[in-house]
Amino acid sequence: MDQKILSLAAEKTADGLQEFLQILKDDDLTDLLQNQAVRGKTAGALLKAIFKGLPYSEEAGALKRLKIYSCCIQLLESGDLQKEVASEITGLLMLEVHRFPGQLLVELANEFVSAINEGKLTNGKSLELLPIILTALGTKKENLTYGKGELSGEECKKQLINTLCSVRWDHQYVIQLTSMFKAVPLTTEEVEFVVEKVLKVFSKLNLQEIPPLVYQLLVLSSKGSRKRVLVGIIAFFNKLDQQHNEEQSGDEYLDLVTVPLDELRHVEGTIILHIVFAIKLDFELGRELLRHLKATQQGDFSSICPFSIALLLSVTRIQRFEEQVFDFLKSSVIKNFKDLQLLQGSKYLQSLFPNECCISTMILEVVNNSVHSWDHVTQGLVEFGFILMDSYGPKKILDGKTAETSSGLSRMPNQHACKLGANILLETFKIHEMIRQEILEQVLNRVVTRASSPINHFLDLLSDIIKYSPLVLQSCSSKVIETFDYLSFLPVQTVQGLLKAVQPLLKVSMSIRDSLILVLRKAMFASQLDARKSAVAGFLLLLKNFKVLGSLSSSQCSQSIGVSQVHVDIHSPYNSVANETFCLEIMDSLKRCLGQQADVRLMLYEGFYDVLRRNSQLVNSVMQTLLSQLKQFYEPEPDVLPPLKLEACILTQGDQVFLQEPLDYLLCCIQHCLAWYKSRVVPLQQEEEEEEEGFYQYLDDMLESITNRMIKSELEDFELDKSADFSQSTGIGIKNNICASLVMGICEVLIEYNFFISNFSKTKFETILSLFMCYKKLSDILNEKSGKGKTKMASRPTNSFLSMKFVSDLLTALFRDSTQSHEESLSVLRSSNEFMRYAVNVALQKVQQLKETGHVSGPDGQNPEKVFQNLCDITRVLLWRYTSIPTSVEESGKREKGKNISLMCLEGIQKILGAVQQLYQPKCHQFLKALDATDKEEEEEEVSVSERAAFQIRQFQRSLLNLLSSQEEDFKSKEALLLATVLTSLSKLLKPISAEFVQMLSWTSKICTENSCEDASFCKGMLSLLFNLHVSCKSPVGLLRDLSQDIHGHLGDIDEDVEVEKTNNFALVNLKTAAPTVCLLVLSKAEKVLEEVDWLITKLKGQANQKVIPEASSQAALTNRPMEKSTIIQLGTLLTFFHELVQTALPSGSCVDTLLKDLCKMYTTLTALVKYYLQVYQPSTGIPKNMEKLVKLSGSHLTPLCYSFISYVQNKHSRSLKCTREKEKTAAGPTAMARALRETRPIPNLIFAIEQYEKFLIHLSKRSKVNLMKHIKLSTSRDFKIKGNILDVVLRQEEDENEEGTASEHEGQNKEPAKKKRKKEMKCLS
C-alpha cells in the first residue's frame, strides 16, 4: 500500500492520489504511517505523499490531515523513532503548519495544552512544533471558534498562551517550554504571562536545573519584561540565602535539609555569569537592573542583598556600566550608614524600623561567598574597597594633621565607609591568593604617593594584612624593599606608621631587614631634616623589636609587637649573638645623631625609654650614651650656679637663634630611664654582683646636685628676671624665651624625680615646692609678657613634662593619702594651693591632649591600657576631692587669687568622661567600676552599667541641687554648666528602659520645671539634657510644643494688643533665657524632627515604588498605615509648635532667621507628604481622616499666621532701615542694614514653599474628589489684580504730591505703605 501511495504521488497530477486516499480509512492510513516510521523506511516520503493527496479545500481531507498530524505528534513523543526519522518528520510537520485552517490550528494547540497539563509528554520532542502552530495561528485574520465564543487568530493565540501559563508544567519540560517561547512573536502582555509562570516554577525545580532555565528566561527577556525577570531572579536567590542563614542560626531548623551551601554558591555564581553575559548582548537589561536598584535605594533596600551586590560587582567588568555601578554602590553604602546613624539617634524611628538592613554586612558576606570560585566578583570587590577608602578616608585639615580618635557608634558615616573598604580588602586578601600581590602593591603605592594627605587608614590596613600572614608576604618582599627606597622623602609620621606595619616582616625576612638598615643609614646623613628624623625613628623601632638574649619580659610594652602568625623563627639559631651585635651597631649609629639638630635629638630622647623597656640588656649602652651627653652641659663644680650650661644649648647664626640641645627632654629621658632601671632591673640584681651600680649612682648624684643648685639659683643667674626682654621680634627675646622654656621643663623633670626618690620625706617635699616656685615665677613672667605682647610664646610647649602616672600618684598623695606617717611631709605640699592647682591643671592638660591626639606625651603615653588605668585613678581622686570639698566650702575658707580647685576637679571629671566615651567606649563599665570605692568584688560583678552610672549621677545631682538652692549671688554659672555636661555624659550610659533612666528623666524634668535660673548657658545645658533623654525613649514633639508656649508667654505676641496667657510649663524659660537661647535650641530640635519625618516620608515613597506585584500592594498599604499615622501625628504636633512661635514677638537676629528657614522646611515636608498621597492614592482606600485634619490645621493655624509674621518681620525691617538712614554717618548703620537684609532673605523662599504646598493640595483634591482647600484661603499677598476705582484715587494723590515740595513728597511716601496695609487687611477680611 505504501508503494502505491508513493507511485501515485510521483504522477504529475494528484487526482489519483486524492481518490485513493479518500477511500482509505483513517485508521488504516495512521497504522501504515506508524509501521513505516517505526521501521524507518520511507516514512518521510510517505508522509509527504499523504499531505499532497489530502486537499485543504475539502473538510474531509482537512480532518484527515489533522488526524495524521496528531498521529505524527504521538509518534514523536513515543520515543520509538530513529533520530533521523524523527527529525525528518518534524521538518515536514513544520512546513505543513501554515497550510492548516485556523480552526484546526486551535484544535492542535489545545491538544498540546492538554498533553502538557496532564503530563502526557514523554520526551518533549513534539514541543518544537508548538511555537510554529502558535505563530501560524497569530497570522489568521478570520474569526475562529474558541470555547463558547469567536475570537480572531491573534486573540486565540493570546488565550492559548494564557491557558498554557495557568496549567501545571512538569519540571522536566520547563526549560523546553521556556525555550519554545523564544520562537513565538509575543506581545508585552503575553511576555508577562510567560515570565510570571516561569518565575513561579523556580521553587519547584532542583537547584542544578535553574541556571539553564535562567539563561532561557534572559533570552526571552529581550522581548520585554526585563525588570520583572531580574527582580524575580534576585528575589528568589535572596530568599534562598535567607533560608540558609536561618538554618545556620537556629537549632530548630537543623532538621530541615535543604540545599548544600557549596552547591548554592556555585549555582549563584553561574547565574551571575549568565546575567552578565546577557547584559553584554543587551545593554537595556543592564540599564533596567540599575534603574530598579536605584528605585529601591530610596525605600528599604529590599532588592539590595548579597546576591544583587555580587551581580553588580560582576557587571563592573563591562566598561559601559563600571562607573555607574560603583557610584551606585558608593551612594548606597553612605546612605545606609547615614540611615543607621539617624536611627541610632532616634528611639521614635527605631520603634518604626526595628530591623533596618545593613549593607556593609551584606558586602562582607559577598566577600566570604566569593571563595566559591566567584573570580568574576573578586576584581570588583578589590576596586570597590579602594574606592571607599579613597573617597571616604580622613581628609587633610588646616595644620596638616588629622586625628581619628572617635570609635564605635559615634563614628561618622564617612569613617564607617572607609573602614568597610579596609575590611573588604583585608577579607579578600585572606581568601584569595591570586589577588594578594595586587592589593599589597596598591596599598604601598598609596602610602608612597599620597604622603602629603592623611594615610593612617592605609597604614592600618597594611599592618592588618602583614599581621595576618607575614610568611606569605615573603613572596612580595621585592615590593616592600622598593617602598623603602622612598623613606627619605616621606613625612616622619608616615615612616613611623609604615615601619610599625612592616615590622613582623623584619623578623622573618633577612633581605627586607638588611635593605631597611641600608636605607636608614643613608637617610641618617641626608640633607633633609625629615629624612634624618625618619632614620632615628626606624633605628629605634629596630632596637625595640630585636631583643638581646636575657632581656626582661616585655609584658609592659606599649604595643603588642609579637608575630603570632609566624610559626618558625628564622633567626632562632643566632638570636643571642646576632641580635646583640645588630643592636650595638644601631646604637653606634644613633650616637651620631646627638650632634644633629634639636628635633633629631628630641626624637631620640623620646624613644630611648621604650627601647629600654623592650630590650633591657641595652641599658648599659643607653645610659652611658645619655650620661656622656648630659656631661657636656653639666657644671661639675658643686658651687657653680646655675648647674647647667644653658648657653651651650642655644645656637646663634647671625640674627637667628635656635635651640640646639633640648636639655629638658634629655633630663626627662634620663629621669624616666633611671626610675625604670631602679624599679625593674636593680631588684633582680640584688642577689647577684652589683657591677652596674656605678652609672646609676653617678646619675643619681648628678640629679641631686642639679636639684640643690637649681633651688639656690635665682632668676638673675639665668638672666631671666622681670627686666629681661621676652619679645619674639628680637634675637635676645627669642633666646630668653628658649632659656625660660628649658628652665621650666627642667624644674618639672626634677619635681617628678624628687617625688619618685622622696619616700615621703619632708625635706624632699620642701625641695619639690622650691622647684615649683622657680617654675611658677618664670611662668608668671612669661604670662605677663605675653599678655602685653598679645601673642602666645611660640617656643613654649603646651605639654607638661610630668608623666601621666606621676600626675596620678601626685594627685592621690595630695588628696587621698591619709597614712599617718605621710601626714607631716604631705602637709608641706598641701599648704600650697598654687601647687595643688598646678597638679590638677596638668591633669587637665593631659586629658585634653588625649582627646585631641588619642595618646599622651611621656612614658606609656602610647599604651592604651596604661593610659586608661591612669584615667581611672585620676578620676577617682578628682571625684573624691570635688564631692568631699564642694566649691562653696573651699571659697568660704580662702580669699586668694586663682581658680577654685574643686571647680578644676569638676572640669577634669567632665573632660575625662568625654575622653572615655570617645576612646574607650567598650570599657565604660570597667571605668565606672574603678570609680566605685567599695571593695566587695562579689557584689560588683552583678551590678549593671546603668546602676553604676546612676550611683555617680546621684552624687552630681546632689551637688547641682545644693548649687540651685544657694543664694542668687552665690550661684556659680560655670560649675552649673559643668555639672549639666557631666550629667549629660553619664546619662548616655543608662539603658533607656531601665528604672535608673526613668528616674533621671523625671529628675531632669523636675529641675527644668521648678527651678528658675537666668543663666543662659546653664539653661541650655539642662534643656539639652532633657531633650537627649526624651529622644532616647520617645519623640520630643510634645516637649517642643510646651516650650514654645512658654516662649510665647514670656516674649509676648506680634500683635501688641493681644495679651498672652503665661503657661509656665518650665521655670527655666524666662524673659532672659527665652530668646535667643531656648528659642534657638527648640528650633534646632524641631529641625532634627523634621529631618526624621522627611526621611520617613522618603521611606514610604520608596516602599510604594517597589510594589511590583499587584496583589502585594494592598498588603503593603496596610503595613504602611502605622507609619503614615505616626508621621501625621508628628507633623500635627510640630504644627502647633510653629503655631505658637509665629505669633511670638521674637527679637531681630538669629531667632527670626532660623524660624523662617524652619517654617520653609515645615512646608516642604508637608508638600512631600501630599506628594506621597498623590502617588499612593487609590479610590478604594481614599485619604485618611487624620491627613484631612492635618491639612485643616495647617490652613487655620499656620498659613495665615505665617503671613502675619512676615508682615511683622517686614515692619521691623522697614523700621530698621529708617533708623539706618538716620545713622548713615555712624559705623552701626551698614551693620544694621546687613542684618535686616539677612533676616528678610528667607521670606521669598517661605512664600514659595507655602504656594507649592497649596498647589499640590489642589492636585490631591482633584484626584481624590475631597475638597482639601475648603479650610485654606489662597495666598493674597501676591494677588496683584488692578482695581480701577482704587487706581484713580492713587493717581490723583500722586498728581497732588508732585505739585508739593520735597518735604511733602516724603510725607506722602511714608503714608502710602500704611494705606496698602489697610487695603490688604480689607481684602483679607472680604
Side-chain angles (χ1 to χ4, degrees):
M1 192 187 295
D2 56 330
Q3 292 299 326
K4 186 170 184 181
I5 292 171
L6 289 171
S7 62
L8 288 170
E11 294 176 2
K12 289 185 179 180
T13 60
D15 296 341
L17 181 60
Q18 287 176 9
E19 287 173 10
F20 181 74
L21 290 177
Q22 279 175 7
I23 60 173
L24 273 178
K25 292 181 181 179
D26 292 351
D27 292 341
D28 295 339
L29 200 55
T30 53
D31 288 344
L32 175 66
L33 186 59
Q34 281 177 357
N35 291 331
Q36 291 298 321
V38 170
R39 290 177 191 165
K41 295 180 180 178
T42 62
L46 180 63
L47 183 60
K48 197 173 180 182
I50 291 169
F51 280 140
K52 185 179 178 182
L54 295 174
Y56 288 104
S57 52
E58 296 175 13
E59 186 178 348
L63 289 171
K64 274 191 177 182
R65 272 176 173 271
L66 178 62
K67 187 83 173 172
I68 295 295
Y69 210 95
S70 300
C71 173
C72 290
I73 291 171
Q74 287 168 12
L75 272 172
L76 289 171
E77 281 300 318
S78 67
D80 297 334
L81 304 184
Q82 294 174 15
K83 192 175 180 181
E84 295 80 6
V85 175
S87 297
E88 189 178 4
I89 290 174
T90 304
L92 288 170
L93 293 177
M94 284 179 175
L95 291 172
E96 288 299 320
V97 168
H98 290 281
R99 298 177 188 171
F100 267 78
Q103 197 61 50
L104 297 185
L105 287 173
V106 172
E107 287 184 35
L108 273 175
N110 276 325
E111 280 184 30
F112 270 104
V113 173
S114 299
I116 292 165
N117 186 28
E118 293 166 14
K120 290 180 180 176
L121 297 177
T122 52
N123 60 19
K125 283 184 180 177
S126 63
L127 284 177
E128 293 178 37
L129 300 171
L130 186 54
I132 312 294
I133 293 168
L134 290 172
T135 305
L137 186 58
T139 59
K140 303 298 179 186
K141 303 297 181 188
E142 70 273 15
N143 284 346
L144 305 170
T145 304
Y146 187 86
K148 294 179 181 179
E150 288 194 347
L151 300 171
S152 68
E154 186 62 40
E155 288 170 340
C156 280
K157 184 191 80 170
K158 182 179 176 181
Q159 284 298 325
L160 279 163
I161 290 172
N162 197 358
T163 309
L164 184 58
C165 292
S166 59
V167 301
R168 190 182 67 82
W169 289 6
D170 194 309
H171 69 88
Q172 62 181 325
Y173 301 120
V174 170
I175 295 167
Q176 276 179 282
L177 284 165
T178 309
S179 174
M180 173 202 80
F181 283 108
K182 292 187 296 186
V184 182
L186 299 173
T187 63
T188 308
E189 194 178 352
E190 289 164 356
V191 174
E192 284 175 15
F193 290 152
V194 178
V195 167
E196 287 298 336
K197 174 64 181 177
V198 176
L199 291 173
K200 282 178 185 174
V201 178
F202 268 26
S203 56
K204 296 170 186 174
L205 297 178
N206 293 329
L207 203 57
Q208 294 297 340
E209 293 175 316
I210 291 176
L213 179 58
V214 166
Y215 177 79
Q216 297 299 337
L217 199 54
L218 289 167
V219 174
L220 186 63
S221 71
S222 61
K223 294 175 179 286
S225 289
R226 292 179 178 86
K227 180 180 175 181
R228 185 70 196 101
V229 168
L230 292 167
V231 171
I233 294 169
I234 291 170
F236 175 74
F237 283 101
N238 188 21
K239 189 178 177 183
L240 275 184
D241 285 342
Q242 287 173 354
Q243 284 175 355
H244 193 273
N245 291 338
E246 284 171 3
E247 288 170 31
Q248 285 187 321
S249 60
D251 292 339
E252 66 270 21
Y253 295 103
L254 288 177
D255 56 338
L256 297 173
V257 179
T258 55
V259 185
L261 178 63
D262 193 53
E263 185 183 345
L264 173 61
R265 297 292 174 240
H266 278 100
V267 167
E268 285 178 342
T270 309
I271 299 288
I272 288 170
L273 281 173
H274 281 329
I275 297 174
V276 172
F277 181 70
I279 290 173
K280 283 180 182 175
L281 298 175
D282 180 11
F283 285 145
E284 189 54 41
L285 193 66
R287 284 191 280 270
E288 200 62 65
L289 175 67
L290 278 171
R291 270 198 293 270
H292 166 63
L293 292 175
K294 281 177 182 175
T296 63
Q297 191 184 40
Q298 297 304 315
D300 56 2
F301 291 105
S302 59
S303 286
I304 296 179
C305 57
F307 179 80
S308 61
I309 291 169
L311 172 59
L312 282 172
L313 289 168
S314 295
V315 171
T316 57
R317 298 172 78 186
I318 304 170
Q319 192 176 359
R320 187 165 190 166
F321 294 105
E322 183 180 7
E323 192 176 339
Q324 294 175 57
V325 170
F326 282 135
D327 286 346
F328 168 73
L329 286 172
K330 250 174 64 179
S331 62
S332 296
V333 164
I334 207 73
K335 182 182 182 300
N336 186 238
F337 280 131
K338 284 178 180 175
D339 289 354
L340 292 172
Q341 188 186 35
L342 196 67
L343 281 168
Q344 283 166 2
S346 170
K347 189 70 179 175
Y348 160 68
L349 288 180
Q350 285 173 29
S351 62
L352 293 171
F353 291 93
N355 300 313
E356 181 69 3
C357 72
C358 182
I359 289 184
S360 58
T361 310
M362 295 179 189
I363 294 172
L364 292 174
E365 198 177 318
V366 172
V367 178
N368 291 329
N369 293 347
S370 67
V371 74
H372 300 278
S373 305
W374 286 14
D375 297 338
H376 43 91
V377 176
T378 312
Q379 192 60 45
L381 276 170
V382 172
E383 283 183 47
F384 185 54
F386 279 113
I387 285 170
L388 286 178
M389 291 189 77
D390 292 337
S391 304
Y392 300 116
K395 298 291 183 274
K396 193 172 184 179
I397 50 178
L398 291 177
D399 60 356
K401 296 177 183 177
T402 178
E404 277 195 85
T405 53
S406 56
S407 62
L409 301 179
S410 62
R411 278 191 172 188
M412 299 301 288
N414 282 13
Q415 290 170 307
H416 280 302
C418 178
K419 184 63 182 167
L420 172 62
N423 287 339
I424 290 169
L425 292 169
L426 178 61
E427 294 305 314
T428 308
F429 182 89
K430 288 178 182 179
I431 291 171
H432 298 283
E433 286 185 27
M434 298 298 291
I435 208 81
R436 285 175 181 171
Q437 179 93 13
E438 185 187 341
I439 292 175
L440 185 68
E441 280 188 16
Q442 289 210 43
V443 172
L444 289 171
N445 287 342
R446 281 165 169 79
V447 169
V448 171
T449 57
R450 301 184 184 181
S452 58
S453 306
I455 52 166
N456 294 340
H457 50 311
F458 286 113
L459 291 172
D460 292 342
L461 173 60
L462 181 63
S463 177
D464 290 338
I465 284 172
I466 292 173
K467 277 180 189 173
Y468 167 69
S469 183
L471 289 171
V472 169
L473 283 174
Q474 276 189 282
S475 58
C476 309
S477 59
S478 59
K479 185 63 187 174
V480 179
I481 291 168
E482 185 187 331
T483 307
F484 287 159
D485 293 339
Y486 299 97
L487 286 185
S488 302
F489 309 103
L490 299 178
V492 181
Q493 287 178 330
T494 303
V495 172
Q496 286 176 314
L498 177 61
L499 294 181
K500 275 181 188 174
V502 300
Q503 66 194 7
L505 286 177
L506 303 178
K507 294 195 173 187
V508 297
S509 172
M510 285 284 287
S511 60
I512 292 178
R513 193 187 79 174
D514 294 343
S515 301
L516 177 60
I517 291 169
L518 280 173
V519 168
L520 293 178
R521 281 180 177 160
K522 286 179 187 174
M524 187 71 81
F525 302 101
S527 56
Q528 303 93 348
L529 177 62
D530 266 9
R532 297 200 295 279
K533 286 166 75 175
S534 297
V536 172
F539 280 135
L540 286 171
L541 192 78
L542 290 169
L543 283 179
K544 289 176 198 173
N545 293 302
F546 286 87
K547 283 193 175 183
V548 178
L549 194 68
S551 290
L552 295 173
S553 165
S554 58
S555 59
Q556 296 179 347
C557 289
S558 64
Q559 289 173 352
S560 57
I561 305 291
V563 187
S564 57
Q565 292 83 0
V566 181
H567 302 294
V568 182
D569 190 351
I570 295 172
H571 300 179
S572 54
Y574 53 90
N575 261 340
S576 56
V577 180
N579 280 359
E580 185 171 6
T581 310
F582 174 62
C583 290
L584 290 174
E585 278 180 17
I586 291 175
M587 281 300 299
D588 286 340
S589 297
L590 287 174
K591 283 176 187 174
R592 296 172 190 166
C593 298
L594 296 174
Q596 296 195 12
Q597 284 95 333
D599 285 351
V600 179
R601 301 183 194 191
L602 193 146
M603 277 197 80
L604 199 57
Y605 300 152
E606 287 183 331
F608 268 153
Y609 176 77
D610 273 343
V611 168
L612 276 195
R613 281 173 51 254
R614 301 263 176 75
N615 221 341
S616 58
Q617 286 297 304
L618 294 174
V619 67
N620 199 26
S621 178
V622 169
M623 297 306 273
Q624 291 292 354
T625 303
L626 292 172
L627 178 59
S628 62
Q629 186 70 5
L630 180 59
K631 281 180 180 178
Q632 295 178 36
F633 307 96
Y634 174 68
E635 293 283 3
E637 293 299 322
D639 300 327
V640 177
L641 297 179
L644 297 165
K645 304 169 187 172
L646 295 185
E647 292 286 338
C649 298
I650 296 167
L651 178 68
T652 306
Q653 290 181 344
D655 296 336
Q656 293 185 315
V657 180
F658 303 100
L659 175 66
Q660 176 76 9
E661 174 64 46
L663 190 57
D664 43 5
Y665 280 92
L666 171 60
L667 271 175
C668 186
C669 177
I670 289 172
Q671 186 263 315
H672 288 311
C673 290
L674 201 55
W676 173 84
Y677 182 76
K678 287 179 183 178
S679 63
R680 295 280 294 163
V681 181
V682 172
L684 299 175
Q685 292 179 342
Q686 297 277 318
E687 299 170 6
E688 302 171 14
E689 68 275 7
E690 299 183 2
E691 58 185 43
E692 301 292 345
E693 186 178 345
F695 80 79
Y696 90 76
Q697 190 59 53
Y698 188 61
L699 277 169
D700 260 341
D701 294 341
M702 284 178 78
L703 289 172
E704 187 73 28
S705 173
I706 291 170
T707 301
N708 294 331
R709 286 188 278 167
M710 282 294 287
I711 296 167
K712 292 176 187 173
S713 301
E714 299 290 334
L715 290 183
E716 286 80 1
D717 295 330
F718 298 105
E719 300 178 6
L720 294 173
D721 55 354
K722 284 191 177 181
S723 60
D725 176 18
F726 285 96
S727 69
Q728 293 286 353
S729 54
T730 63
I732 293 171
I734 294 170
K735 178 186 170 186
N736 288 341
N737 268 306
I738 294 172
C739 284
S741 175
L742 287 173
V743 173
M744 288 170 72
I746 290 163
C747 286
E748 284 194 313
V749 171
L750 293 174
I751 286 171
E752 183 166 345
Y753 169 74
N754 281 281
F755 186 88
F756 175 69
I757 64 166
S758 67
N759 198 20
F760 290 91
S761 152
K762 185 177 180 182
T763 313
K764 286 293 177 189
F765 283 1
E766 286 170 350
T767 301
I768 287 172
L769 207 55
S770 301
L771 286 165
F772 170 69
M773 293 316 294
C774 173
Y775 172 90
K776 187 170 186 311
K777 282 178 193 172
L778 265 177
S779 177
D780 291 345
I781 290 172
L782 283 176
N783 288 336
E784 185 186 331
K785 298 285 184 180
S786 66
K788 288 177 184 174
K790 302 290 181 189
T791 56
K792 290 282 180 188
M793 296 292 121
S795 61
R796 174 70 196 140
T798 54
N799 300 328
S800 168
F801 279 88
L802 304 185
S803 66
M804 200 164 183
K805 179 73 172 70
F806 168 67
V807 173
S808 169
D809 292 344
L810 179 61
L811 289 174
T812 307
L814 288 173
F815 298 142
R816 290 301 305 272
D817 195 332
S818 55
T819 311
Q820 194 66 38
S821 58
H822 298 168
E823 194 69 34
E824 185 185 356
S825 54
L826 281 171
S827 63
V828 174
L829 297 179
R830 289 169 178 168
S831 65
S832 170
N833 276 320
E834 287 182 339
F835 182 74
M836 292 197 290
R837 205 175 288 120
Y838 160 74
V840 178
N841 194 48
V842 172
L844 292 180
Q845 275 184 30
K846 294 285 179 188
V847 177
Q848 189 60 36
Q849 185 188 16
L850 180 66
K851 286 179 76 174
E852 289 173 0
T853 63
H855 56 82
V856 291
S857 55
D860 296 321
Q862 304 271 0
N863 183 343
E865 291 298 325
K866 289 282 182 73
V867 172
F868 177 71
Q869 191 55 54
N870 290 330
L871 275 181
C872 294
D873 296 340
I874 290 171
T875 314
R876 194 162 51 239
V877 177
L878 296 182
L879 185 58
W880 183 90
R881 176 65 169 76
Y882 175 72
T883 50
S884 304
I885 309 175
T887 51
S888 53
V889 175
E890 185 180 331
E891 290 199 344
S892 63
K894 70 173 186 67
R895 286 287 177 269
E896 62 180 77
K897 289 182 180 178
K899 281 186 178 178
N900 183 306
I901 295 174
S902 287
L903 191 61
M904 290 174 71
C905 289
L906 181 60
E907 189 181 344
I909 294 165
Q910 179 255 322
K911 284 180 182 291
I912 290 170
L913 281 170
V916 168
Q917 290 185 350
Q918 178 182 314
L919 298 165
Y920 299 100
Q921 185 76 31
K923 290 191 172 185
C924 283
H925 186 241
Q926 197 178 328
F927 175 73
L928 291 172
K929 188 176 175 180
L931 298 190
D932 201 346
T934 58
D935 294 321
K936 299 174 185 175
E937 291 190 9
E938 297 96 15
E939 293 178 15
E940 280 185 2
E941 289 175 8
E942 298 171 8
V943 182
S944 68
V945 177
S946 287
E947 288 169 328
R948 290 190 188 282
F951 175 76
Q952 301 300 337
I953 284 170
R954 284 193 289 275
Q955 297 190 67
F956 294 108
Q957 284 175 338
R958 283 194 291 272
S959 299
L960 185 56
L961 287 171
N962 292 336
L963 193 61
L964 290 169
S965 59
S966 62
Q967 297 294 322
E968 194 172 329
E969 60 271 12
D970 293 335
F971 182 78
K972 299 176 189 66
S973 170
K974 185 173 182 183
E975 185 178 359
L977 178 60
L978 284 171
L979 282 168
T981 313
V982 167
L983 287 168
T984 303
S985 295
L986 286 169
S987 68
K988 291 174 184 173
L989 302 175
L990 299 174
K991 281 188 178 178
I993 53 171
S994 63
E996 293 83 11
F997 180 87
V998 175
Q999 185 273 334
M1000 180 69 183
L1001 180 56
S1002 61
W1003 181 86
T1004 310
S1005 297
K1006 190 178 178 185
I1007 291 287
C1008 296
T1009 306
E1010 298 176 2
N1011 290 275
S1012 180
C1013 173
E1014 294 188 346
D1015 185 75
S1017 57
F1018 171 68
C1019 174
K1020 184 178 180 181
M1022 285 308 296
L1023 286 175
S1024 296
L1025 171 58
L1026 184 62
F1027 271 111
N1028 290 344
L1029 293 169
H1030 261 274
V1031 167
S1032 298
C1033 61
K1034 56 186 173 182
S1035 175
V1037 284
L1039 187 59
L1040 286 170
R1041 181 190 55 218
D1042 295 345
L1043 282 166
S1044 66
Q1045 290 170 355
D1046 287 351
I1047 294 169
H1048 190 190
H1050 285 290
L1051 296 181
D1053 201 89
I1054 53 175
D1055 187 347
E1056 293 172 2
D1057 300 332
V1058 175
E1059 188 175 342
V1060 185
E1061 183 185 347
K1062 291 189 179 180
T1063 51
N1064 289 328
N1065 294 316
F1066 295 95
L1068 271 182
V1069 183
N1070 50 53
L1071 196 58
K1072 284 196 174 179
T1073 59
T1077 307
V1078 179
C1079 181
L1080 288 176
L1081 178 67
V1082 294
L1083 284 171
S1084 69
K1085 300 298 178 186
E1087 195 173 331
K1088 181 81 169 64
V1089 175
L1090 278 172
E1091 184 188 342
E1092 290 174 5
V1093 173
D1094 209 42
W1095 180 84
L1096 200 52
I1097 294 169
T1098 307
K1099 278 278 183 189
L1100 287 168
K1101 284 181 178 176
Q1103 289 178 2
N1105 284 333
Q1106 289 167 33
K1107 291 165 194 168
V1108 182
I1109 306 165
E1111 56 265 27
S1113 61
S1114 56
Q1115 188 180 354
L1118 290 171
T1119 56
N1120 285 349
R1121 285 293 182 203
M1123 283 189 276
E1124 290 175 18
K1125 184 180 177 183
S1126 176
T1127 305
I1128 291 166
I1129 290 170
Q1130 290 282 95
L1131 285 173
T1133 318
L1134 271 181
L1135 209 144
T1136 57
F1137 160 78
F1138 283 117
H1139 166 74
E1140 292 289 342
L1141 284 187
V1142 290
Q1143 296 178 83
T1144 307
L1146 295 172
S1148 294
S1150 54
C1151 291
V1152 170
D1153 192 28
T1154 311
L1155 177 57
L1156 287 169
K1157 285 176 182 173
D1158 283 1
L1159 280 167
C1160 188
K1161 285 177 183 170
M1162 177 71 185
Y1163 276 104
T1164 307
T1165 307
L1166 283 168
T1167 308
L1169 186 63
V1170 173
K1171 285 180 178 177
Y1172 166 71
Y1173 278 110
L1174 268 171
Q1175 179 184 342
V1176 300
Y1177 175 77
Q1178 289 177 350
S1180 56
T1181 54
I1183 294 171
K1185 291 294 179 189
N1186 49 8
M1187 178 62 186
E1188 290 183 39
K1189 287 178 185 174
L1190 179 68
V1191 173
K1192 179 182 176 181
L1193 197 66
S1194 68
S1196 59
H1197 280 64
L1198 192 59
T1199 306
L1201 295 173
C1202 281
Y1203 284 113
S1204 302
F1205 186 71
I1206 289 169
S1207 301
Y1208 164 75
V1209 173
Q1210 286 177 327
N1211 288 338
K1212 289 190 81 172
H1213 168 60
S1214 59
R1215 284 199 294 273
S1216 171
L1217 287 176
K1218 185 179 178 182
C1219 294
T1220 306
R1221 289 195 188 98
E1222 291 171 4
K1223 297 177 182 178
E1224 273 178 350
K1225 295 179 182 179
T1226 67
T1231 311
M1233 173 83 84
R1235 189 174 67 246
L1237 287 171
R1238 188 175 63 251
E1239 283 176 17
T1240 54
R1241 198 172 292 142
I1243 292 174
N1245 293 337
L1246 174 57
I1247 293 172
F1248 177 74
I1250 294 171
E1251 291 180 350
Q1252 284 293 104
Y1253 170 57
E1254 291 170 354
K1255 170 187 165 183
F1256 284 101
L1257 268 182
I1258 293 167
H1259 288 326
L1260 186 58
S1261 298
K1262 287 177 180 176
R1263 187 164 182 189
S1264 64
K1265 307 293 187 291
V1266 177
N1267 186 11
L1268 296 170
M1269 298 297 292
K1270 62 184 173 186
H1271 302 290
I1272 295 177
K1273 290 181 180 176
L1274 280 172
S1275 312
T1276 54
S1277 292
R1278 300 177 74 181
D1279 181 2
F1280 298 118
K1281 183 179 178 183
I1282 297 171
K1283 296 186 177 179
N1285 54 349
I1286 297 172
L1287 183 63
D1288 291 339
V1289 174
V1290 174
L1291 288 170
R1292 284 196 207 98
Q1293 284 175 350
E1294 284 183 358
E1295 286 172 9
D1296 295 340
E1297 285 168 6
N1298 289 336
E1299 291 169 5
E1300 293 174 8
T1302 310
S1304 60
E1305 185 182 0
H1306 280 295
E1307 285 175 17
Q1309 285 174 352
N1310 289 339
K1311 286 176 187 175
E1312 196 173 17
K1315 288 174 188 173
K1316 285 180 182 175
K1317 185 179 176 186
R1318 278 200 299 276
K1319 277 185 282 180
K1320 280 180 188 173
E1321 286 169 0
M1322 287 168 63
K1323 195 182 294 180
C1324 288
L1325 290 169
S1326 62

